Amino acid sequence: MNFKNVRLKLENKETSFENLVKQYLDKIEKGVQLNAFIFVDKEAALIKAAEIDKKLENGTAGKLAGLVLAVKDNMAIKDSQVTCGSKILENFVSPYNATAIEKLLAEDALIIGKTNMDEFAMGSSNENSYFGPVKNPVDNSRVPGGSSGGSCTAVAAEMAMAALGSDTGGSIRQPASFCGVVGLKPTYGRVSRYGLVAFASSFDQIGPITNTVYDAAILLEVIAGHDKRDSTSAPVTVPKFSKALDGNIKGLKIGLPKEYFSEGLDSEIRESIENTIKILEENGAEILEVSLPNTEYGIAAYYILTTAEASSNLSRYDGARYGYRAENVESLEDMYVRSRSEGFGNEVKRRIMLGTYVLSSGYYDAYYRKGQQVRTLIKNDFEEAFKQCDCLITPTTPSTAFKMDEKTDDPLAMYLSDVYTVSVNLAGLPGMSLPCGFDSNNLPIGVQIIGKQFDEEMILRVGDFLEKNLALKTTG
Ligand code: GLN
C-alpha cells in the first residue's frame, strides 16, 4: 500500500486509520521471523492511530496523517531506545528527537517501530546486527542488503508504508534494490543529520524508503531543509518535490557511465537496465555514454575515509558517558578496553582498527590524504559528466540479493558489493534506486538514478516516469 492511496481512502472514510494500523501490526507479528524490527510499541501505535483518526475527522490532520512509518534504529526518538544494532547502545534511551523525526511527527506521521540494521550502519547484508540478521522477504534464504535491511524489509513485506533509512555508502539504495522497493539518498546537506547516530559524518544522509516514487517525494519534502542544529545542512530552498513528477522526460539527456557497465555486472541485471534505458529512449530522452574514469578507486577511497571518520566518531562509546559498561573493572583503562571489546561486534572493531591505522602518523599521507585526493577526483568526474547530461543511470548493485552467510567470511567481497553506490556518497550527490525487473530467480533488480547536487527533482521525475512505464512482472 502506498501512502498517497491510503490518504485518499481515509479521506473518503473507506477505512479508519486505527484499523489500518492494526493490519500493519498484524503483518509485523506474522512476519516476526524476518527480524525486521528491533522494537515495536503496539499500544502506543494504537493510541496514536485513534488520535490521528480524530484529527482526520475534524480537519486538523497534518500532511502525513495516514502514514505508517518505520524508522531505522540509528535515529533518535525522544524517550525511546536507539540501539544502532549494537550491544553497546542496547539500553540507551534518547532524551531528544532527531530533526527529521520531529518534522515527521509534526505532520502526523505514525512511527510503528524501530528497524533492525547492521551495527552502526556498517555492512551490506544486515548480518552484522547484535539483534540477529534480517531475512529478505522475497526469499528468506537470502540477505535483504544493508545496512538499512530492516527498513527495506519492513516496507517490502507491508509491515510499514514507508521507512527512514540512512545511507553512507549505499545503505538505502542497495537494500532497496535487494528487496524491490524505492530508496532515495538525498544530496549531502539536504536533510539534517541532527539525531542520526554518526558513522562517517561527511557521508551520512537520512532518506526515505517507500513503495512508490511519489511517496519518496512527499517524505523528502517534509524531512528536508536547513537546520541550525546541523552546520552541514544546506541553507537552500526545499522545492515541492511531488510537483516535479510531471511525466515529462522528452529531451532529457541521460548519461550512462561506461565504467558501471564493465565486467563484474551480472548479465541479467545488465539486460534489465538496458531494457529500462530503452524505455527512456523510446519516450524522447537522449541517451549518451559518459565516463567517470576514477570509479575503480571508489571502494578503496570510501573504506579509507569512512573508517577514519568512524574511528573518531565511535571513540565516544567508552563505557563512561553512556551505553554499555563492563562490570568488575580493575582500572579506568580496563573499563575502556573491556567496555569497547565487549560492546562492539567484529565488523565495527575491524573498521575502528582500519580507521585508526589510516590516520596514524606514519600512514596518514599514504592513506587518508590520498583518499581525500581521490575523493576530489571522483567529485570532479561527476562534474564533468554533468556538463553533458541531466542525470545518470546505472545498476544499483552488481548482483541481486545474495545468500545468507555467502560473504560473511570475506569482508573484501562484501565491500566490493558496494561498487556502484559509494561514489555517490564520496561526491555528495543524490541517488535513488527503484525496482526495474526481476532475475530468473524472481529476485528484484534495482536501477540507480544519480542527479546533480540538490537536483532530487530530476531523479524523482525520471524515477516516477519509469515506475509508470516499466511493466514489472515476475518471471515465475
Ligand atoms: N555497505 C556500506 C558499508 O558497509 C555502506 C553502509 C552505509 O551506507 N551505511 O560501509
Side-chain angles (χ1 to χ4, degrees):
M1 268 191 279
N2 65 64
F3 169 65
K4 192 181 179 192
N5 290 346
V6 164
R7 180 65 183 247
L8 282 176
K9 272 192 191 157
L10 290 169
E11 277 164 9
N12 295 337
K13 306 212 165 34
E14 284 169 47
T15 174
S16 76
F17 188 46
E18 201 177 341
N19 244 331
L20 218 87
V21 171
K22 277 186 189 148
Q23 284 173 36
Y24 278 96
L25 288 168
D26 210 42
K27 276 267 167 68
I28 291 175
E29 226 167 275
K30 291 205 174 101
V32 75
Q33 94 288 351
L34 296 175
N35 204 18
F37 284 86
I38 295 179
F39 175 73
V40 178
D41 190 346
K42 205 171 157 176
E43 271 149 45
L46 289 171
I47 293 170
K48 181 91 197 213
E51 267 171 42
I52 291 173
D53 267 329
K54 278 205 194 91
K55 285 190 175 184
L56 282 162
E57 186 79 29
N58 64 27
T60 57
K63 190 168 158 178
L64 295 181
L67 180 72
V68 178
L69 185 76
V71 174
K72 187 175 181 177
D73 205 14
N74 60 351
M75 291 173 222
I77 300 181
K78 194 173 182 324
D79 300 328
S80 185
Q81 55 146 71
V82 195
T83 69
C84 237
S86 182
K87 176 178 175 180
I88 215 156
L89 284 176
E90 189 178 7
N91 297 313
F92 178 70
V93 172
S94 171
Y96 69 99
N97 277 328
T99 299
I101 297 294
E102 208 146 85
K103 290 181 166 197
L104 290 162
L105 292 175
E107 291 295 345
D108 287 330
L110 178 138
I111 296 172
I112 199 152
K114 300 293 290 289
T115 55
N116 204 345
M117 57 182 282
D118 284 302
E119 186 177 2
F120 283 99
M122 296 171 184
S124 313
S125 67
N126 224 128
E127 292 165 297
N128 297 335
S129 170
Y130 173 64
F131 301 93
V134 178
K135 291 179 183 165
N136 189 309
V138 182
D139 174 346
N140 293 180
S141 70
R142 293 177 189 270
V143 303
S147 64
S148 312
S151 285
C152 290
T153 296
V155 176
E158 301 275 352
M159 297 167 167
M161 252 173 248
L164 286 188
S166 66
D167 191 312
T168 304
S171 277
I172 289 177
R173 292 160 288 152
Q174 186 254 21
S177 158
F178 280 10
C179 294
V181 294
V182 176
L184 169 64
K185 182 208 93 79
T187 307
Y188 184 78
R190 178 63 96 184
V191 179
S192 169
R193 293 182 296 108
Y194 181 74
L196 168 70
V197 178
F199 161 9
S201 311
S202 76
F203 293 75
D204 304 338
Q205 267 294 289
I206 295 174
I209 294 158
T210 54
N211 282 307
T212 63
V213 174
Y214 182 89
D215 281 2
I218 288 284
L219 253 103
L220 184 61
E221 242 165 68
V222 172
I223 63 175
H226 179 244
D227 176 13
K228 62 177 189 317
R229 290 175 296 188
D230 170 10
S231 60
T232 64
S233 73
V236 293
T237 45
V238 178
K240 276 258 175 208
F241 293 112
S242 53
K243 293 272 186 299
L245 316 184
D246 58 8
N248 190 6
I249 61 144
K250 262 203 186 72
L252 286 187
K253 290 198 168 73
I254 295 179
L256 309 179
K258 65 170 190 237
E259 292 79 5
Y260 285 60
F261 293 88
S262 58
E263 84 261 36
L265 174 61
D266 174 274
S267 62
E268 290 182 317
I269 298 185
R270 180 190 302 273
E271 210 175 294
S272 178
I273 304 292
E274 280 168 359
N275 174 43
T276 308
I277 294 162
K278 208 159 89 207
I279 291 174
L280 293 168
E281 198 166 21
E282 282 166 5
N283 286 280
E286 191 187 320
I287 308 293
L288 56 145
E289 188 182 275
V290 295
S291 175
L292 301 169
N294 292 292
T295 300
E296 63 176 307
Y297 308 114
I299 291 277
Y302 171 83
Y303 278 95
I304 286 171
L305 297 175
T306 56
T307 55
E309 292 190 25
S311 70
S312 159
N313 272 327
L314 271 58
S315 64
R316 73 191 67 175
Y317 307 103
D318 55 8
R321 282 171 286 190
Y322 45 81
Y324 176 79
R325 178 182 300 173
E327 278 166 23
N328 306 321
V329 293
E330 280 160 17
S331 63
L332 183 63
E333 194 181 337
D334 190 37
M335 182 190 78
Y336 290 155
V337 172
R338 282 198 26 228
S339 299
R340 289 168 68 81
S341 303
E342 292 165 21
F344 288 133
N346 286 343
E347 181 60 26
V348 175
K349 285 180 193 162
R350 180 179 295 124
R351 304 235 186 165
I352 293 173
M353 285 193 279
L354 259 171
T356 311
Y357 179 78
V358 301
L359 287 173
S360 59
S361 63
Y363 298 96
Y364 183 92
D365 285 338
Y367 294 109
Y368 185 74
R369 190 188 302 281
K370 248 289 143 43
Q372 291 286 31
Q373 288 164 340
V374 171
R375 186 174 196 179
T376 304
L377 293 177
I378 287 177
K379 223 172 157 176
N380 294 346
D381 282 356
F382 279 106
E383 264 165 36
E384 279 305 308
F386 281 130
K387 283 184 185 155
Q388 303 167 57
C389 57
D390 300 299
C391 66
L392 303 170
I393 294 246
T394 77
T396 308
T397 55
S399 77
T400 50
F402 44 88
K403 291 269 187 194
M404 295 259 182
D405 288 329
E406 195 181 307
K407 298 187 202 277
T408 37
D409 292 335
D410 187 351
L412 189 59
M414 192 72 94
Y415 297 170
L416 286 170
S417 65
D418 301 331
V419 61
Y420 300 141
T421 48
V422 294
S423 294
V424 165
N425 303 72
L426 283 160
L429 300 171
M432 178 166 74
S433 179
L434 75 143
C436 69
F438 297 90
D439 71 4
S440 46
N441 290 321
N442 266 330
L443 298 169
I445 296 172
V447 59
Q448 176 173 236
I449 313 171
I450 304 170
K452 297 178 184 170
Q453 221 183 12
F454 295 109
D455 197 6
E456 286 86 357
E457 283 173 289
M458 177 63 67
I459 57 179
L460 288 163
R461 169 141 58 114
V462 174
D464 172 65
F465 178 87
L466 283 174
E467 185 178 79
K468 289 181 176 135
N469 287 275
L470 277 164
L472 280 192
K473 288 191 280 312
T474 54
T475 45

